[in-house]
Amino acid sequence: VPGLAWLLRFFHWRVLRHVIAVGVGWYFAYDAAVVLVKILYDLPDRAGARRFLRRLLGFSTASTKVPEITPATLGSQREESVLLRVGGPGQVKVPPGHVIVTELNGRFQRTLSAGTHRLGRYEYIHAVLNLQPQERTLEEFSAFSRDGIELRVGLGIVYRLKTGGEVATRQNPYPYDETAVRTAAYAQTVLDEKGNVATWERTPVALARSTLLGFLARYKLDEIITPQRPAEEPYRTLRNQLLRQLRQRLDGLGIELLGANIQRIDLPPGVNDQYIDYWRSHWQSQMMLRVMDGEATAVEKREIARAQAEMTMVQAILEGVQRARREGVTAQMDEVVALRLVEALEMMARQSQQSIHLPPTLLPQLDELRQQLSDGTYDPKLPGKPML
């Protein structure tokens, strides 16, 4: 057959010995590259390293099934997928209402919205963020009022990533601000020695809890549970303060606060009796202080009235003596002094009858006595009626 002899020459042992050497060398070089990739990227087995190396060389650019990445499954999928563990090239699928933040060489690369995307060489998925409104509730946690009484508080908040002022449409139902997404993606906190990380979704709840604890510590229990004025609404006041301060703190983290609600502020079991005892002792002490204050005020008023009466009598005596001397009737000085005293007593009685109950016969007797002293018909030797 023409050409067959030329073809069979390549299978002669003198030729094959050179081809086999090249093939064996290529095989060991490829196996060494697979082992190196497995060691460098800490891959679980050689099969994964072989697949990753083929993608890097361009021999296997796509897989039959494109993985869908969600925040809940990203951690578990990293352990199984070389693409998620090391990076591209490869394709990933972003579910609706989510966004992916990628890195290249440890630095921010880009954000990927919903849909199927191809990762570049060594492009690594850093985080997957949920763009939908998030609702979190703390059913019960402990707080303390300003007077040191323990409270049981329930709190609920609704928030989402900032939209950048864009309006949701049918084509883009979940708009987002790229700067806010980037900020939230790197807002991570290591919680313990095991490496557990708190993402941006936990941050608003922790901030709301700490902010509300600070507000409750400023008020006494009476001001929270039973305000003095009926128009006061402590729940609304605390909620407005919480909304205002929490919105300012979350704005710098790329998070938009949609709502916050204080669901409950109760006393734990066993504290009700302590609160009642505290309330009773507090108001008993207030009552005793008011009674003592009233008694002290009454005693003070009586002493002041007595001093004023004595001063008035002394002034009346002095005026009577001076008047008798001016008129030159020193022989009837006793009557003049007595007249001035009666007039002073009558004046004090009229001033005191609005605040003090006086006998109904006191003023008529004083008036009669004053007239007798004025007419000179008063006889001190005759028995008189008692005034009181």
Side-chain angles (χ1 to χ4, degrees):
V1 178
L4 180 60
W6 179 82
L7 183 62
L8 289 176
R9 272 187 265 174
F10 288 96
F11 293 95
H12 195 273
W13 68 271
R14 293 182 180 179
V15 178
L16 287 178
R17 62 182 179 178
H18 300 288
V19 176
I20 292 174
V22 173
V24 171
W26 180 87
Y27 172 78
F28 281 110
Y30 179 77
D31 187 70
V34 171
V35 173
L36 181 62
V37 168
K38 178 179 179 297
I39 295 174
L40 289 178
Y41 296 103
D42 192 21
L43 300 178
D45 51 18
R46 287 194 176 190
R50 192 175 295 111
R51 289 192 298 269
F52 178 66
L53 182 59
R54 288 175 181 174
R55 287 205 313 270
L56 290 178
L57 296 175
F59 297 148
S60 177
T61 58
S63 59
T64 57
K65 183 179 180 181
V66 179
E68 185 177 74
I69 315 301
T70 63
T73 62
L74 178 61
S76 60
Q77 287 177 319
R78 281 194 197 278
E79 301 296 331
E80 301 175 357
S81 174
V82 181
L83 174 65
L84 301 180
R85 194 171 183 178
V86 179
Q91 289 185 335
V92 293
K93 183 178 182 182
V94 185
H98 294 75
V99 62
I100 284 181
V101 177
T102 64
E103 291 181 341
L104 185 61
N105 296 329
R107 301 182 63 180
F108 173 78
Q109 177 68 9
R110 56 174 175 165
T111 59
L112 304 177
S113 58
T116 302
H117 302 271
R118 178 174 178 81
L119 298 178
R121 188 181 298 271
Y122 296 109
E123 188 176 7
Y124 176 79
I125 296 178
H126 171 72
V128 183
L129 283 68
N130 194 338
L131 299 175
Q132 305 175 37
Q134 305 293 312
E135 183 176 0
R136 296 291 184 273
T137 302
L138 290 177
E139 296 293 341
E140 183 177 317
F141 60 93
S142 298
F144 291 90
S145 61
R146 193 174 71 180
D147 41 11
I149 299 179
E150 185 180 4
L151 301 171
R152 295 294 184 185
V153 185
L155 176 67
I157 61 173
V158 181
Y159 57 93
R160 67 180 179 187
L161 291 174
K162 296 173 65 175
T163 61
E166 296 185 18
V167 181
T169 60
R170 180 174 296 181
Q171 292 76 16
N172 186 18
Y174 299 103
Y176 62 90
D177 182 7
E178 291 193 3
T179 303
V181 169
R182 179 178 178 178
T183 303
Y186 289 93
Q188 299 179 350
T189 305
V190 179
L191 299 178
D192 50 29
E193 297 178 354
K194 297 181 180 179
N196 294 325
V197 179
T199 62
W200 70 276
E201 296 179 351
R202 295 187 182 182
T203 302
V205 181
L207 287 178
R209 182 177 181 273
S210 61
T211 304
L212 186 57
L213 288 176
F215 287 153
L216 292 175
R218 301 177 186 175
Y219 295 92
K220 292 183 178 180
L221 184 61
D222 286 341
E223 298 173 347
I224 300 173
I225 303 295
T226 56
Q228 296 181 357
R229 291 179 291 182
E232 293 181 350
E233 297 184 11
Y235 273 61
R236 178 176 296 181
T237 302
L238 290 171
R239 177 180 175 273
N240 293 337
Q241 293 177 353
L242 178 64
L243 281 172
R244 182 170 56 254
Q245 186 165 346
L246 188 59
R247 185 174 285 114
Q248 294 176 355
R249 298 178 67 179
L250 292 178
D251 185 70
L253 301 177
I255 302 173
E256 179 184 358
L257 182 65
L258 300 180
N261 183 29
I262 302 175
Q263 297 180 351
R264 52 173 293 195
I265 300 180
D266 299 328
L267 296 175
V271 180
N272 283 320
D273 297 335
Q274 298 179 6
Y275 173 63
I276 292 173
D277 294 339
Y278 167 79
W279 181 84
R280 184 187 296 112
S281 61
H282 172 72
W283 286 109
Q284 285 178 352
S285 61
Q286 294 293 326
M287 189 181 303
M288 292 179 62
L289 288 176
R290 291 180 181 179
V291 171
M292 295 174 62
D293 188 28
E295 292 179 353
T297 303
V299 172
E300 183 181 2
K301 288 183 178 179
R302 286 198 297 268
E303 294 298 329
I304 293 175
R306 182 179 299 174
Q308 290 178 350
E310 292 177 354
M311 186 180 298
T312 303
M313 289 182 181
V314 172
Q315 290 178 355
I317 293 173
L318 292 176
E319 290 178 1
V321 172
Q322 293 174 0
R323 181 178 179 182
R325 288 179 178 177
R326 286 196 303 268
E327 295 177 357
V329 288
T330 56
Q332 299 178 354
M333 185 175 295
D334 295 338
E335 296 181 0
V336 175
V337 172
L339 178 61
R340 296 300 300 166
L341 286 175
V342 171
E343 291 177 353
L345 288 173
E346 186 177 5
M347 181 184 64
M348 287 188 294
R350 293 185 183 278
Q351 292 177 354
S352 303
Q353 66 180 355
Q354 296 180 357
S355 58
I356 301 175
H357 179 69
L358 300 177
T361 59
L362 178 60
L363 288 176
Q365 290 181 7
L366 289 175
D367 185 62
E368 182 181 357
L369 183 60
R370 180 176 56 79
Q371 292 180 359
Q372 291 178 2
L373 290 173
S374 300
D375 300 339
T377 58
Y378 175 73
D379 189 0
K381 298 179 179 180
L382 296 177
K385 298 179 181 181
M387 293 185 182
L388 301 177

